[in-house]
Amino acid sequence: MAFNQPPHLVNYNVYHSDRFLQQCAQRFGNQRDEAERVRFGALLGSEQHLARCESANHYLPELFTHDRYGERINHIAYHESYHELMHIATEQKLHNGVWRSKAPYSHVERTIRYYLNSQLEAGHGCPITMTFAAIPVLQNSRLYPQLKEPLLQPRYDARDVPFYDKSAVTVGMGMTEKQGGSDVRSNTTQARPFTHGGEGERYRLNGHKWFLSAPMSDLFLMLAQTEQGLGCFLVPRWQEDGCRNGIHIQQLKRKMGNQSNASCEVELHDVEARLLGTEGKGVRTIIDMVAMTRFDCMIGSSALLRQALVQSLHHCHYRTAFGARLIEQPLMVNLLCDMAIESDCALLWTMSVARWLDEPEDDEAKKLARLLIPVGKYWICKRAPQITYEAMEVIGGMGVMENTPMPRLYREAPINAIWEGSGNIQCLDVLRACEKDPQLLTTWFRFISRAYGRYHSFDQAAERLQRELDAQSPTPFNARRLVDEIALLTQAALAIEHMQPERSQLVCDNFFNRTGRNLGTLVGNPDTAHQWVKDSFTIG
C-alpha cells in the first residue's frame, strides 16, 4: 500500500476553494450570482467532470473527408465528452451572455465563469471564444437580424446541418495563410462578387487557410482579397441552398496542446460567402473580434496559472519530506508564494479589464482596455509555461506522468501566447495604438499614479519609465522592454489598490527590487509569504 502520497484531487469546489477569486467577485461583480458560481464550481471539480475533460483529450477528433460513396463531407467526429463540455459552456452562456442584454457586470461575470471553466479543459474554449468574439462584428452587419436568434441561444446544437436549421450556432475564424501567418495583408485568397458586390452581398472565395480551428462551427469569419483590398466575409459551412460549402479540409493539425479542439488546413473552392462591412476594410471590420479573443487568451492563461498552482498546493499539503510537510518548508513556501503572486496578479488584472469592458461609455476605461489587453495578452500568456513547468517540478516525478493533469497543462501553456498574435505582434500593436492615440499612455500613467506614495520601489520604477519615454519615443527595437515595464507597473498598481498592504508590499518588493531571475527567489517577509500560500487553496 502506498503512503505519503496525496489523495486524488476530485470532488472539490473550484470556486469555493479559491479565496482570492471570491474576493475579486465580491469587489467587481454582482453578489446575486454567488450561488450559481458555487454550483458551477462544484460541477467543475466533480469526478465526473474531470473524467470528461480527460476523455475529450484522450479520444482525439477524427477527420472524415468523404462518405462511403465518395461524396466529400468534410466531417470531424468528436468524442461525446467534447460535446458534453460544449453543452456545459453554452448553458453557462460563456459564448454569448455578454451580448444577450445590457446588464451591468456582464463581462465580469463571464470572466469569472470562463476562468473557472478553463482551468479544467481549454480546448473546447476555442469555439466558445470565437463565437463570443464574433457576435459584436455580426451585430454591425445587416445580416444580423437573421442570425440573432440562433447566436444568442444558451445551448449547443452539434448536428451537421445548415445553420438555418439549427437551434443554436457557433462561429469560427479563418485569418492566417501559409505565406503570411500574422501578416494577414499578404493573404492571397480571392473574393469575387456574384453581382455588383457590397455589404451583405454574396461572393465566391477561392484560396486556402493555414489554420482553421473549430472547423465544425456553423459560420466562419474569413479574410480574403477583393478589388479594393482585404475584405471580411461571413462563410457558412453549408450554402444557403442546402448544399455543403466548398470548404475542403485537407488534414487535421497535430498540435502539442489544445488537442480536444480540432484545427485544420483547408482549401476554399468557390466558397459561398457574404461581405461584412466594405471591401478593403476587412481588418478594421474584424479588429473587435481580435481584441475579444486576445482578452480570452488572458483569461485562459490566468486559469492555467491557477490550476498549476492548485496542483502544486494540493501535492505539498499532503506530501512530507525530511520530516515535515512540503507546504511548511521555507524554500518551498518561497516558491509557492511566488507562483501565487503570479496567479493572483494575473487574475486581478484580467478582472480589472472585464470591469473596464463593462464601462464602454467611460473614456478612461476604454483607453485602459485598449492598452492593457495586448499588454496582458503578451505578459500573462508568457508566464503560463514557466509557472506550469515549476508546478511539474514541485510535484516531482509524478508531475511528468501522463495519467496526471500536469502534462496536459504543460502542453496547453504555450498555446495562448502564440494564438491570436504572438508576443512581438502584441508589442507592435501597443506601439501602433500609442502612436495613433498618445493619450493612451497619458491615461495609463494617470491610472497608476493613484498608487504613488506607498512604496518607494514602485514610485521609482514609474518615474524611471516616464523619464525614458520623455527622452525618447518607444521604438520597435525596445518594444518588449516597454511592454514588460507596463505589465509590472500595472500589476503592482492593482495590487496596491486591491490587496492588503503586506501583500502589495511583497508584490512591489519582488517586481522592482529582486535580483533572482528564477521563481522561488522572493525577498521580503516570510510570514506574509507563508500566509499567502496558506490562503491560496482551501483543502477539503
Side-chain angles (χ1 to χ4, degrees):
M1 180 178 177
F3 65 96
N4 194 24
Q5 293 286 351
H8 290 286
L9 181 56
V10 296
N11 295 323
Y12 77 103
N13 192 304
V14 182
Y15 179 71
H16 238 196
S17 61
D18 190 341
R19 183 175 298 180
F20 189 67
L21 175 59
Q22 292 173 71
Q23 292 171 358
C24 288
Q26 185 173 15
R27 185 173 295 120
F28 295 112
N30 191 333
Q31 286 310 104
R32 288 181 298 180
D33 296 310
E34 182 70 4
E36 181 55 36
R37 296 173 197 144
V38 173
R39 283 193 292 271
F40 190 41
L43 167 66
L44 295 175
S46 67
E47 186 173 6
Q48 180 185 19
H49 188 76
L50 295 176
R52 184 182 290 134
C53 297
E54 180 64 29
S55 295
N57 285 270
H58 182 76
Y59 302 100
L60 302 184
E62 188 175 3
L63 171 62
F64 298 89
T65 57
H66 296 77
D67 67 12
R68 59 184 174 179
Y69 301 112
E71 186 77 21
R72 180 172 272 277
I73 56 174
N74 302 298
H75 180 77
I76 296 174
Y78 297 86
H79 190 262
E80 183 57 34
S81 57
Y82 175 88
H83 296 300
E84 291 172 358
L85 292 169
M86 288 293 292
H87 278 293
I88 291 169
T90 53
E91 286 170 359
Q92 290 290 320
K93 300 184 282 292
L94 300 184
H95 65 311
N96 62 19
V98 169
W99 318 118
R100 285 165 57 87
S101 68
K102 299 289 187 180
Y105 311 108
S106 57
H107 275 285
V108 167
E109 188 57 34
R110 177 188 180 270
T111 297
I112 293 169
R113 299 189 192 196
Y114 194 97
Y115 175 77
L116 291 168
N117 193 65
S118 299
Q119 289 182 42
L120 288 311
E121 207 290 311
H124 75 288
C126 182
I128 295 297
T129 282
M130 290 192 292
T131 304
F132 161 71
I135 291 175
V137 178
L138 296 173
Q139 284 176 326
N140 293 325
S141 167
R142 69 181 181 89
L143 302 174
Y144 185 65
Q146 69 188 80
L147 301 171
K148 180 178 179 179
E149 183 66 21
L151 276 173
L152 296 186
Q153 289 300 317
R155 64 174 68 97
Y156 171 62
D157 186 341
R159 292 177 299 152
D160 187 4
V161 297
F163 75 90
Y164 45 78
D165 288 334
K166 298 185 72 167
S167 60
V169 299
T170 57
V171 185
M173 178 170 61
M175 295 181 67
T176 61
E177 297 183 5
K178 295 176 185 178
Q179 72 287 341
S182 296
D183 182 11
V184 296
R185 295 189 187 279
S186 67
N187 282 8
T188 59
T189 295
Q190 298 294 310
R192 295 291 177 262
F194 276 54
T195 53
H196 64 279
E199 212 275 337
E201 296 298 322
R202 290 195 296 168
Y203 285 66
R204 290 197 188 280
L205 274 53
N206 285 278
H208 80 280
K209 292 297 170 185
W210 185 228
F211 263 94
L212 187 72
S213 287
M216 291 304 286
S217 298
D218 303 290
L219 303 162
F220 303 92
L221 268 59
M222 291 190 185
L223 295 177
Q225 297 287 356
T226 70
E227 291 184 355
Q228 303 300 319
L230 273 182
C232 179
F233 295 87
L234 181 66
V235 178
R237 193 153 49 82
W238 291 73
Q239 293 181 165
E240 295 177 19
D241 62 4
C243 297
R244 293 181 186 273
N245 216 345
I247 307 171
H248 293 182
I249 300 176
Q250 301 304 299
Q251 66 172 340
L252 295 184
K253 297 286 193 179
R254 297 179 63 187
K255 308 188 297 292
M256 64 172 282
N258 212 247
Q259 293 181 341
S260 67
N261 168 47
S263 299
C264 63
E265 300 170 26
V266 299
E267 291 183 355
L268 309 175
H269 297 274
D270 284 337
V271 166
E272 185 177 288
R274 294 210 177 241
L275 179 66
L276 300 174
T278 58
E279 290 189 1
K281 304 295 183 182
V283 174
R284 181 180 299 175
T285 300
I286 207 171
I287 199 67
D288 288 341
M289 180 178 188
V290 173
M292 289 294 96
T293 56
R294 289 175 177 175
F295 176 53
D296 270 13
C297 287
M298 289 179 65
I299 306 174
S301 289
S302 298
L304 284 170
L305 293 178
R306 172 62 189 175
Q307 186 59 208
L309 175 64
V310 165
Q311 294 294 327
S312 300
L313 292 169
H314 175 73
H315 177 83
C316 291
H317 180 81
Y318 291 98
R319 182 79 166 175
T320 62
F322 310 111
R325 287 191 306 156
L326 291 177
I327 204 164
E328 301 291 342
Q329 299 194 24
L331 186 54
M332 184 62 80
V333 168
N334 191 307
L335 174 58
L336 292 174
C337 184
D338 212 352
M339 295 167 66
I341 288 172
E342 295 271 1
S343 177
D344 287 357
C345 285
L347 174 61
L348 184 55
W349 187 349
T350 302
M351 291 289 287
S352 297
V353 172
R355 180 187 62 184
W356 296 328
L357 291 174
D358 275 327
E359 301 170 353
E361 306 305 319
D362 185 304
D363 187 60
E364 179 183 86
K366 188 183 302 182
K367 289 183 186 300
L368 289 173
R370 174 64 186 94
L371 177 67
L372 294 179
I373 286 177
V375 175
K377 199 276 188 189
Y378 165 86
W379 180 267
I380 297 173
C381 295
K382 283 191 174 299
R383 303 309 295 154
Q386 180 67 30
I387 304 302
T388 309
Y389 160 71
E390 288 288 355
M392 296 175 77
E393 189 172 316
V394 165
I395 295 169
M398 284 301 295
V400 297
M401 296 297 106
E402 287 289 351
N403 58 351
T404 74
M406 289 312 306
R408 176 154 55 88
L409 289 176
Y410 187 61
R411 287 193 294 267
E412 195 68 43
I415 301 296
N416 285 330
I418 297 169
W419 282 6
E420 308 307 322
S422 61
N424 282 359
I425 296 297
Q426 303 308 311
C427 293
L428 293 173
D429 182 48
V430 169
L431 290 192
R432 282 192 298 270
C434 292
E435 289 170 4
K436 185 176 180 180
D437 183 1
Q439 288 301 308
L440 287 183
L441 281 176
T442 302
T443 301
W444 176 75
F445 270 110
R446 185 166 60 246
F447 164 72
I448 67 167
S449 71
R450 297 168 194 160
Y452 288 175
R454 290 278 294 278
Y455 307 114
H456 180 66
S457 58
F458 174 80
D459 296 353
Q460 203 172 34
E463 291 165 6
R464 182 172 60 249
L465 178 60
Q466 182 71 76
R467 286 196 304 270
E468 289 180 9
L469 292 173
D470 288 343
Q472 182 181 7
S473 298
T475 67
F477 185 79
N478 296 318
R480 282 200 177 209
R481 192 164 66 85
L482 168 66
V483 173
D484 279 359
E485 293 298 317
I486 293 174
L488 290 171
L489 284 162
T490 297
Q491 291 174 99
L494 290 169
I496 292 169
E497 181 181 359
H498 296 288
M499 290 183 180
Q500 299 154 320
E502 60 272 19
R503 296 197 179 187
S504 62
Q505 181 173 359
L506 196 60
V507 169
C508 290
D509 284 347
N510 287 282
F511 281 0
F512 307 116
N513 288 339
R514 179 169 163 185
T515 56
R517 294 185 180 274
N518 282 316
L519 288 164
T521 56
L522 289 178
V523 297
N525 189 330
D527 292 337
T528 300
H530 188 274
Q531 190 62 46
W532 198 323
V533 169
K534 184 178 178 181
D535 291 343
S536 289
F537 183 54
T538 305
I539 305 291

